[in-house]
């Protein structure tokens, strides 16, 4: 009977694991799982030491592919034991592991060694769950694998203390990803700083460790939790292998990329172990963030498109079909803190004439907020600026046919605020130590339940009492003095986890209670963009840098990791506040149109000509918006490489496309390079509609797809800051 049950369960398992578009198959005889997600397959198995070993990560495998039970690799020298030479999926620190562990625990008796062994596994649709256990203690780890049809595998883990004694987790990463030995790996990352986020860096990999991380308490401008590993000399924008991934975590994080002595690559990522420890009492568990990864053989362009599709269909709150982002007006660069009822109504009236759909009042509307020295924390409408509350402005905005949004910075407090005077203990601090201010503000300790509840309740009240469609949720400093003295000493470092969990829970509860509310994640620009916050927010503010020329580079970098519909981009005034550069209005519009269009200039100063240019281009944007926001992006020419760049968006069914071409600065009378389009239906005819016929040379009304991709299009751009757009519609 027992034997029959065993056979039955093997049969049931095998039955579940049929090959579908996106499936998990299990070879019980070899103890090997094949996970198929889009173009990618990922294979792992239980080896002869009961450890979980990575077998394969690459192009999708067809039915018939099979793998033997993996074996721990031999030690290559007495200095390099099997645990170092073998590509392990999730490895505890112990056994002489000289590389990054996925999990490190210290036990009350001083033991810090962990030997994780396979216990069992179950498959449910596209999900695989594997349980591992320490060989000697009741410490269990459940490993989760979730395959998505877009070609992404999500991995995360749950560390469970099923014993009686309290243990301390010193490092709990989400996953380790392994790449086979190769000498040509190159690593791309996105680094930067305030006003200069999303700078793409690519470097040859060699033996050693590269750490991508934030120790700042949040995602950071410094590095985004994204990586792409390609093959030098082989991978381009349109061809060659790319293994890529990103984390879903908005706190301090780390991705450690190691090339081992055997030229294998290990990528281990999750919450940052720096200044971290997390006690687990009997029965307690700790979940790690999700670490998402994919593979393509079609170059960096396709890697980006896979991520874009995945974000829109699987991550964003309005998944799988996020609605089109409205054209917004934002008051910040126009008025800064000097917002008031009359001024905002005047701007709203002008914005409506341009075709704006959402009016957003930025900083300055609450408390005693006349500059950045006071008011944060006092979320009551400033009675001098808005004597009758927000209602008159909101009513006028609605009457003008727009919806209304407002800026908040819920996690912060100015020492000069009623909130701080009442609750100085709510600010993150180490008792008795100076509290470091940045932009004159301190962080509220959101890990505290009372603080979390206060933040939720004021936001809920604000949104309940006013007809607010959109919150721009800002966050303008990093952490310092991350103390949490009201919990026992050994729990104080849990702040790194609890803070982020509470942030997510506020966002989630707010959205549940106000299902129509949309939210932008802003952190002084692009300081908090990651797949964690994006589960609760509809768009992001990629940078405070609104100079159109810098912005082209920023936007190019951004799209390596995130979808264009997330990328709010404003047209602002010149000279630009940061670079003092003067760029014509049409170029500024065309730069902003390659994401979600917004307008942030002082419309009171716009001339009738500016207004008519703005109206014409906003109308044009609305025509192309579905293609830009929900289509497939092709970076035809990248801005950091030359004085020109071009991007193309095309719908998944290849029926509509739009191309933007930008000339930054002409030299030596050089003609604008011919642009070959991509991803069209080669056999189809397309109708071409230029934004400005004079800027496209010798353009027929119709042209065949293969010709547009082979011969290309010649744009007639001249001088400095010239730009244009071209629409394509398939006609047969
Ligand atoms: C930083 C944001 O990035 C800006 O857009 C603006 O909202 C300011 N904060 C307001 O203080």
């Amino acid at each position: 009977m027992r034997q029959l049950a065993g056979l039955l369960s093997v049969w049931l398992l095998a039955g579940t694991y049929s090959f579908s578009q996106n499936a998990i198959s299990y070879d019980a005889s070899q103890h090997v799982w094949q996970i198929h997600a889009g173009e990618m397959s990922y294979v792992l198995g239980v080896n002869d030491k009961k450890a979980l070993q990575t077998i394969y990560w690459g192009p999708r495998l067809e039915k018939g592919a099979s793998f033997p039970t993996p074996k721990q690799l031999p030690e290559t020298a007495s200095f390099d034991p099997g645990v170092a030479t073998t590509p392990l999926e999730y490895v505890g620190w112990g056994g002489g592991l000289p590389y990054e562990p996925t999990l490190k625990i210290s036990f009350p008796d001083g033991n810090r060694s962990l030997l994780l062994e396979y216990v069992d596994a179950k498959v449910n649709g596209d999900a695989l769950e594997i349980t591992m256990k320490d060989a000697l203690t009741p410490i269990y780890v459940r490993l989760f694998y979730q395959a998505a049809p877009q070609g992404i595998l999500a991995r995360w883990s749950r560390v469970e203390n099923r014993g009686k004694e309290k243990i301390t987790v010193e490092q709990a990463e989400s996953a380790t990803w392994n790449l086979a030995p190769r000498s040509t790996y190159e690593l791309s990352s996105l680094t930067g700083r305030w006003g200069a986020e999303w700078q793409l860096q690519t470097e040859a990999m060699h033996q050693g460790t590269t750490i991508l991380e934030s120790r700042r308490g949040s995602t950071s401008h410094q590095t985004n939790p994204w990586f792409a590993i390609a093959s030098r000399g082989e991978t381009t924008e349109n061809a060659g292998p790319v293994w890529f991934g990103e984390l879903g975590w908005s706190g301090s994080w780390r991705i450690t990329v190691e090339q081992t002595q055997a030229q294998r690559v290990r990528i281990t990522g999750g919450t940052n172990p720096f200044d971290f420890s997390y006690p687990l009492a009997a029965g307690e568990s700790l979940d790690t963030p999700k670490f998402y990864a994919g593979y393509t053989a079609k170059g960096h362009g396709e890697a980006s498109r896979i991520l874009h599709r995945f974000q829109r269909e699987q991550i964003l709150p309005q998944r799988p079909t996020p609605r089109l982002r409205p054209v917004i007006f934002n008051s910040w660069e126009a008025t800064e803190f000097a917002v008031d009822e009359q001024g905002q109504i005047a701007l709203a009236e002008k914005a409506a004439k341009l075709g704006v759909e959402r009016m957003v009042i930025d900083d300055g509307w609450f408390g005693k907020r006349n500059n950045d020295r006071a008011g944060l924390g006092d979320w009551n409408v400033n009675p001098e600026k808005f004597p009758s509350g927000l209602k008159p402005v909101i009513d006028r905005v609605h009457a003008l046919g727009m919806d209304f949004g407002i800026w908040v910075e819920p996690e912060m407090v100015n020492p000069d605020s009623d909130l701080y005077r009442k609750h100085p203990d709510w600010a993150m601090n180490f008792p008795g130590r100076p509290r470091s201010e940045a932009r004159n503000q301190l962080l509220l300790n959101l890990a505290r339940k009372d603080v979390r509840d206060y933040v939720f309740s004021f936001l809920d009240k604000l949104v309940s009492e006013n007809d607010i469609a959109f919150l721009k949720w800002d966050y303008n400093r990093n952490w310092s003095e991350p103390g949490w003295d009201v919990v026992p000493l050994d729990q104080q470092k849990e702040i790194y986890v609890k803070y982020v969990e509470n942030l997510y829970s506020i966002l989630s509860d707010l959205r549940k209670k106000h299902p129509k509310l949309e939210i932008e994640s802003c952190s002084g620009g692009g300081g908090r963009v990651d797949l964690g916050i994006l589960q609760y927010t509809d768009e992001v503010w990629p940078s405070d840098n609104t100079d159109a020329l810098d912005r082209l580079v920023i936007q190019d970098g951004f799209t390596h990791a995130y979808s264009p519909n997330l990328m709010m981009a404003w047209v602002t005034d010149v000279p630009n506040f940061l670079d003092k550069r003067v760029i014509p209005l049409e170029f500024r519009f065309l730069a902003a149109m390659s994401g979600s269009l917004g307008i942030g200039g002082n419309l009171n100063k716009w001339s009738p000509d500016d207004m008519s240019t703005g109206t014409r281009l906003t109308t044009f944007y609305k025509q192309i918006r579905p293609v830009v926001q929900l289509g497939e992006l092709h970076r035809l020419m990248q801005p950091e490489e030359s004085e020109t760049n071009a991007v193309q968006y095309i719908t998944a069914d290849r029926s509509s496309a739009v191309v933007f071409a930008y000339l930054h600065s002409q030299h030596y009378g050089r003609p604008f390079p011919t642009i070959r389009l991509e991803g069209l239906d080669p056999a189809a005819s397309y109708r071409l509609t230029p934004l400005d016929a004079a800027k496209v040379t010798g353009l027929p009304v119709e042209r065949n797809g293969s010709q547009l991709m082979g011969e290309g299009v010649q744009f007639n751009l001249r001088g400095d800051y010239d730009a244009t757009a071209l629409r394509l519609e398939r006609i047969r």
Side-chain angles (χ1 to χ4, degrees):
M1 193 61 199
R2 256 169 66 203
Q3 214 179 6
L4 185 67
L7 277 175
L8 196 65
S9 71
V10 169
W11 175 80
L12 278 175
L13 289 175
T16 330
Y17 306 160
S18 65
F19 277 77
S20 66
Q21 159 62 19
N22 164 25
I24 300 176
S25 65
Y26 176 54
D27 181 345
S29 66
Q30 304 301 322
H31 234 358
V32 167
W33 293 267
Q34 293 190 25
I35 306 177
H36 310 282
E39 297 177 11
M40 163 180 100
S41 292
Y42 189 88
V43 184
L44 65 153
V46 180
N47 73 13
D48 51 331
K49 304 282 183 214
K50 295 206 228 164
L52 212 53
Q53 190 164 325
T54 313
I55 299 175
Y56 173 88
W57 180 16
R60 189 182 175 99
L61 301 165
E62 294 302 328
K63 199 167 181 175
S66 67
F67 297 86
T69 303
K71 286 202 168 39
Q72 177 173 290
L73 301 184
E75 70 172 38
T76 49
S78 57
F79 301 96
D80 297 303
V83 71
T85 57
T86 307
L88 296 170
E89 278 282 297
Y90 189 98
V91 54
W93 188 67
L97 177 75
Y99 299 119
E100 202 60 39
T102 333
L103 182 63
K104 185 170 187 293
I105 281 175
S106 76
F107 292 87
D109 62 359
N111 166 46
R112 301 190 306 282
S113 180
L114 195 64
L115 184 60
L116 293 173
E117 293 180 343
Y118 173 81
V119 177
D120 61 19
K122 55 182 182 215
V123 169
N124 185 4
D126 297 332
L128 165 66
E129 182 185 324
I130 296 178
T131 303
M132 313 275 290
K133 179 189 170 298
D134 179 33
L136 295 159
T137 67
I139 301 303
Y140 285 74
V141 188
R142 284 155 70 189
L143 307 182
F144 301 98
Y145 295 78
Q146 175 78 51
Q150 294 78 9
I152 296 288
L153 178 61
R155 291 180 56 191
W156 70 104
S157 58
R158 179 172 303 149
V159 184
E160 295 176 348
N161 181 1
R162 298 192 199 168
K164 292 196 173 67
E165 289 183 309
K166 193 190 267 189
I167 58 155
T168 303
V169 178
E170 293 179 352
Q171 179 171 357
E173 309 276 355
S174 303
T176 295
W177 304 87
N178 292 286
L179 292 178
R182 192 188 275 246
S183 59
T184 59
Y185 284 124
E186 61 182 16
L187 170 68
S188 296
S189 58
L190 288 162
T191 58
R193 59 178 166 82
W194 175 84
E197 303 88 334
W198 311 107
Q199 307 296 314
L200 185 68
Q201 315 280 349
T202 298
E203 57 191 322
M205 288 184 65
H206 42 77
Q207 187 181 314
T209 305
T210 304
I211 289 180
L212 311 174
E213 70 169 347
S214 162
R215 296 183 176 196
R216 296 165 178 259
S218 77
T219 325
S220 94
H221 305 71
Q222 182 182 328
T223 313
N224 191 267
W226 168 89
F227 73 88
I229 294 177
S231 176
R232 198 168 60 256
E234 185 186 2
T235 306
T236 62
E237 181 69 6
N238 286 326
V242 188
W243 297 263
F244 55 93
E246 51 199 16
L247 276 172
W249 187 243
S250 310
S252 290
W253 60 272
R254 190 167 90 175
I255 296 176
T256 304
V257 185
E258 297 164 291
Q259 185 149 28
T260 69
Q261 291 162 314
Q263 287 189 327
R264 286 184 185 282
V265 167
R266 305 173 81 248
I267 307 133
T268 304
T271 45
N272 199 324
F274 174 78
D275 192 38
F276 182 81
S277 75
Y278 199 103
L280 288 183
E284 288 184 341
S285 64
L286 170 65
D287 280 7
T288 65
K290 290 186 177 160
F291 196 176
Y292 304 87
Y295 167 83
T296 179
K298 297 182 194 151
H300 288 289
E302 185 61 15
S304 304
R305 288 187 287 277
I306 291 171
L307 284 172
H308 299 171
R309 282 178 220 129
F310 176 71
Q311 290 155 9
R312 293 194 297 250
E313 294 167 13
Q314 303 270 350
I315 295 287
L316 293 180
Q318 295 174 0
R319 59 188 178 267
T321 40
R323 79 178 193 101
L324 293 175
R325 309 306 311 138
V327 177
I328 68 138
F329 176 82
N330 178 290
S331 65
W332 176 244
E333 284 200 30
T335 56
E336 294 204 344
F337 298 98
V339 293
D340 61 24
E341 184 181 309
Q342 284 319 310
Q344 294 302 302
I345 287 179
L347 286 167
E349 281 166 353
K350 297 231 164 57
K353 287 197 183 118
L354 292 174
V356 165
E357 297 157 316
R358 171 171 288 168
M359 170 77 194
V360 183
I361 297 189
D362 208 282
D363 201 349
W365 59 270
F366 54 91
K368 296 212 171 61
R369 187 76 169 162
N370 298 316
N371 50 51
D372 64 17
R373 292 189 295 279
L376 284 175
D378 299 340
W379 298 103
N380 43 300
V381 180
N382 181 306
E384 278 134 44
K385 297 177 178 181
F386 298 92
S388 310
L390 294 170
K391 193 166 186 315
V393 183
I394 297 179
D395 287 350
R396 185 69 190 125
V397 165
H398 289 165
L400 290 164
M402 300 182 286
D403 68 22
F404 179 79
I406 200 156
W407 179 95
V408 286
E409 194 176 2
E411 299 149 85
M412 301 289 169
V413 65
N414 285 119
D416 185 0
S417 67
D418 293 341
L419 182 73
Y420 186 77
R421 282 182 279 273
K422 197 162 162 206
H423 294 291
D425 52 323
W426 281 10
M428 214 179 260
N429 73 96
F430 287 130
R433 296 241 149 208
R435 301 169 179 208
S436 309
E437 292 177 21
R439 207 194 190 203
N440 310 301
Q441 64 198 55
L442 299 168
L443 261 148
L444 292 174
N445 182 358
L446 212 62
R448 291 174 62 131
K449 185 167 180 319
D450 47 3
V451 175
R452 183 252 172 243
D453 292 347
Y454 157 79
V455 169
F456 174 78
S457 68
F458 90 71
L459 288 167
D460 179 36
K461 184 164 179 281
L462 179 69
V463 179
S464 302
E465 290 178 355
N466 300 283
D467 194 346
I468 290 175
F470 172 80
L471 292 178
K472 172 176 170 180
W473 184 305
D474 207 345
Y475 177 89
N476 279 302
R477 60 160 295 176
N478 293 136
W479 289 22
S480 57
E481 299 92 30
W484 184 11
D485 63 330
V486 288
V487 295
L489 188 59
D490 71 343
Q491 287 173 23
Q492 292 184 3
K493 291 180 181 171
E494 288 181 12
I495 191 170
Y496 287 102
V497 173
K498 296 280 197 271
Y499 184 104
V500 181
E501 286 177 352
N502 281 349
L503 168 67
Y504 291 162
S505 88
I506 294 169
L507 286 160
S508 164
D509 288 356
L510 211 53
R511 292 197 78 114
K512 269 188 221 132
K513 192 148 178 219
H514 306 277
K516 292 206 179 119
L517 182 70
E518 296 189 338
I519 303 175
E520 176 181 279
S521 175
C522 170
S523 170
R528 192 156 62 187
V529 184
D530 60 78
L531 294 192
I533 201 88
L534 282 172
Q535 294 181 90
Y536 309 100
T537 54
D538 305 272
E539 63 184 45
V540 303
W541 179 230
S543 181
D544 273 350
N545 186 338
T546 52
D547 173 78
L549 195 54
D550 283 355
R551 197 71 185 207
L552 290 176
V553 178
I554 285 171
Q555 294 180 174
D556 179 80
F558 181 93
T559 64
H560 276 81
Y562 300 100
S563 172
N565 70 323
L566 300 173
M567 187 169 76
M568 177 45 66
W570 305 341
V571 176
T572 55
D573 291 337
V574 288
N576 179 266
F577 83 95
L578 192 61
D579 287 339
K580 307 294 170 211
R581 197 176 280 122
V582 177
I583 292 183
L585 187 60
E586 181 145 338
F587 190 102
R588 282 179 269 147
F589 258 95
L590 284 159
M593 277 187 205
S594 59
S596 286
L597 177 65
I599 295 167
N602 186 346
L603 300 179
N604 295 321
K605 297 191 179 152
W606 282 30
S607 69
D609 268 4
D610 292 342
M611 290 299 287
S612 87
T613 303
T615 310
R616 176 172 60 85
L617 293 171
T618 304
T619 307
F620 177 75
Y621 178 71
K622 288 180 185 167
Q623 291 159 3
I624 58 169
R625 164 167 61 178
V627 188
V628 172
Q629 293 191 11
L630 305 176
E632 313 251 296
L633 169 71
H634 291 258
R635 292 179 291 255
L636 303 178
M637 260 194 268
Q638 288 171 263
E640 58 274 22
E641 283 164 11
S642 70
E643 67 258 29
T644 57
N645 78 296
V647 283
Q648 178 196 321
Y649 302 79
I650 180 163
T651 52
D653 67 359
R654 303 190 288 181
S655 63
S656 304
V658 58
V659 180
F660 294 98
Y662 306 92
L663 174 64
H664 313 163
S665 180
Q666 191 170 24
H667 291 282
Y668 314 110
R670 261 198 300 261
F672 194 84
T674 303
I675 295 178
R676 288 206 224 114
L677 307 194
E678 294 176 7
L680 301 175
D681 177 351
S685 275
Y686 287 87
R687 180 184 302 112
L688 309 182
T689 317
L691 176 65
D692 178 348
K695 293 194 177 176
V696 193
T697 307
L699 194 70
V701 177
E702 288 178 21
R703 198 175 273 184
N704 161 269
S706 66
Q707 199 180 349
L708 287 161
M709 294 192 287
E711 185 190 7
V713 177
Q714 187 61 56
F715 287 94
N716 180 27
L717 299 182
R718 305 299 303 268
D720 289 344
Y721 311 123
D722 201 2
T724 197
L726 173 67
R727 290 173 63 194
L728 296 93
E729 296 295 334
R730 184 168 57 194
I731 43 182
R732 57 185 175 273

